[in-house]
Amino acid sequence: MTELPLEQVRTLLAVVDGGTFDAAAAALHVTPSAVSQRIKALEQRTGSVLVTRTKPVRVTGSGQVVVRFARRLAALEQDARAELGMSGEPVRVPIAVNADSLSTWFLPALAGVDADPPICFELHREDQEHTTTLLREGRVMAAVTSSATPVQGCSARPLGSLRYLPLAHPAFVARWVTGALRDDLSAAPVVVFDDHDDLQDAFVRLLGGDGASALRHYVPASEMVVAAVEAGLGWGMVPEVQAAPGLRDGTLVPLVRDRPVDVPLYWQQWKLDLPALSTVADAVAAAAAASLRRPASAVRRRRRPGTKS
């Protein structure tokens, strides 16, 4: 059986993490030529192209398999070294999370983690549907995602639902909402996170329309989306917890009452018995139980997670 030399496997991981052969060479203290030779040798052994030689490099489907193996190997090695008392280094746990979760309930969950050796978090802010891609590529150990279907080699557990409310500034409502809400929102300016954010379109479709207006303001930061809606730039779907201050002081009003949208979120992680990962998972589940709503009817087609990630 063809073996995968660990030196070559670790070199591939360094290339993916560094983004270029030069960066990998610097991290490994070897020449770029040596990195190139190791990757070529590994590709010959696997019979597949593992990365495209772009800047940054892109991992192929076959490369993702090897990178996942390399990442798991590194995590297991670090865990073993810690158990043997050979390393006092902190454990690095990369996690993908959507922007709205990151701006609301997720960071307090991590703040409550107490572990020995200590855990260093490497957060990747991504759309909740793209977070599973990072799991497949081996870039992260865990992810907050809208997908209930586990990525191969991962487990999935429901966290709850992040509730969104259709809101706008009172002056905006007075100007743009004058008739049937479905028709008004099909023409009124709307604030969205990015071009993957279709929560507003999904809401208008729930009302019977074709989608939100083409008059779109793109604001790629969760807190700034709320600020833009409060400023009257457009209407938008705002996480309930972020909407509370504006609803209290009158800078935000509901476009319609009793029509929230609940977006279900899940925690996916590697199926590895790693104490650090289990500790983080328990902390995230506890925070989610305290902050998110229990799963109910939800709009499942949404690329901006409970977030605009």
Side-chain angles (χ1 to χ4, degrees):
M1 185 176 74
T2 301
E3 296 181 352
L4 297 178
L6 297 186
E7 181 182 68
Q8 296 173 9
V9 169
R10 289 175 175 134
T11 299
L12 176 64
L13 185 58
V15 169
V16 172
D17 285 346
T20 66
F21 282 39
D22 288 342
L28 297 173
H29 306 292
V30 298
T31 65
S33 176
V35 170
S36 180
Q37 290 173 9
R38 292 178 188 178
I39 298 303
K40 287 180 181 178
L42 186 58
E43 289 177 329
Q44 289 174 350
R45 281 182 173 272
T46 60
S48 304
V49 174
L50 302 177
V51 292
T52 59
R53 272 63 169 175
T54 55
K55 289 189 177 182
V57 298
R58 298 186 63 181
V59 187
T60 66
S62 297
Q64 290 177 13
V65 176
V66 181
V67 169
R68 286 199 301 270
F69 167 68
R71 192 83 67 188
R72 284 166 168 76
L73 183 66
L76 288 170
E77 181 179 18
Q78 186 178 41
D79 184 55
R81 288 171 61 85
E83 286 193 36
L84 292 170
M86 296 173 61
S87 173
E89 297 178 359
V91 178
R92 184 176 67 90
V93 178
I95 304 171
V97 59
N98 59 296
D100 289 344
S101 291
L102 195 58
S103 297
T104 52
W105 65 274
F106 193 75
L107 289 180
L110 301 187
V113 172
D114 184 15
D116 184 24
I119 298 174
C120 290
F121 301 105
E122 179 185 307
L123 301 183
H124 298 252
R125 191 189 71 176
E126 295 289 349
D127 172 86
Q128 80 277 11
E129 290 188 1
H130 188 226
T131 52
T132 54
T133 299
L134 296 185
L135 277 172
R136 290 189 190 92
E137 293 177 351
R139 292 179 180 269
V140 299
M141 293 182 178
V144 175
T145 173
S146 60
S147 175
T149 304
V151 170
Q152 184 177 10
C154 294
S155 61
R157 65 195 288 188
L159 293 174
S161 296
L162 188 57
R163 173 161 290 189
Y164 289 80
L165 305 176
L167 304 175
H169 188 275
F172 180 91
V173 174
R175 177 182 177 184
W176 290 98
V177 183
T178 58
L181 185 61
R182 175 190 64 191
D183 298 331
D184 290 339
L185 295 188
S186 296
V190 61
V191 177
V192 298
F193 186 80
D194 58 21
D195 56 5
H196 296 302
D197 178 6
D198 72 347
L199 187 57
Q200 286 72 211
D201 293 295
F203 177 73
V204 176
R205 288 194 293 269
L206 282 177
L207 299 178
D210 295 329
S213 167
L215 295 173
R216 299 177 180 231
H217 302 294
Y218 294 93
V219 184
S222 185
E223 299 87 346
M224 291 302 99
V225 166
V226 182
V229 173
E230 285 187 299
L233 200 60
W235 71 279
M237 301 299 294
V238 178
E240 184 178 43
V241 63
Q242 288 181 307
L247 290 172
R248 284 195 301 267
D249 62 25
T251 57
L252 292 174
V253 294
L255 294 174
V256 60
R257 297 187 182 278
D258 302 321
R259 293 299 296 270
V261 172
D262 291 341
V263 177
L265 297 176
Y266 301 85
W267 175 258
Q268 291 203 29
Q269 68 175 59
W270 292 352
K271 287 182 179 178
L272 286 181
D273 185 18
L274 297 174
L277 194 53
S278 297
T279 298
V280 174
D282 290 343
V284 168
S291 304
L292 302 180
R293 292 179 174 269
R294 290 299 86 201
S297 59
V299 173
R300 295 188 177 274
R301 186 179 185 278
R302 168 172 174 27
R303 304 195 109 187
R304 172 180 108 190
T307 136
K308 301 143 184 151
S309 309

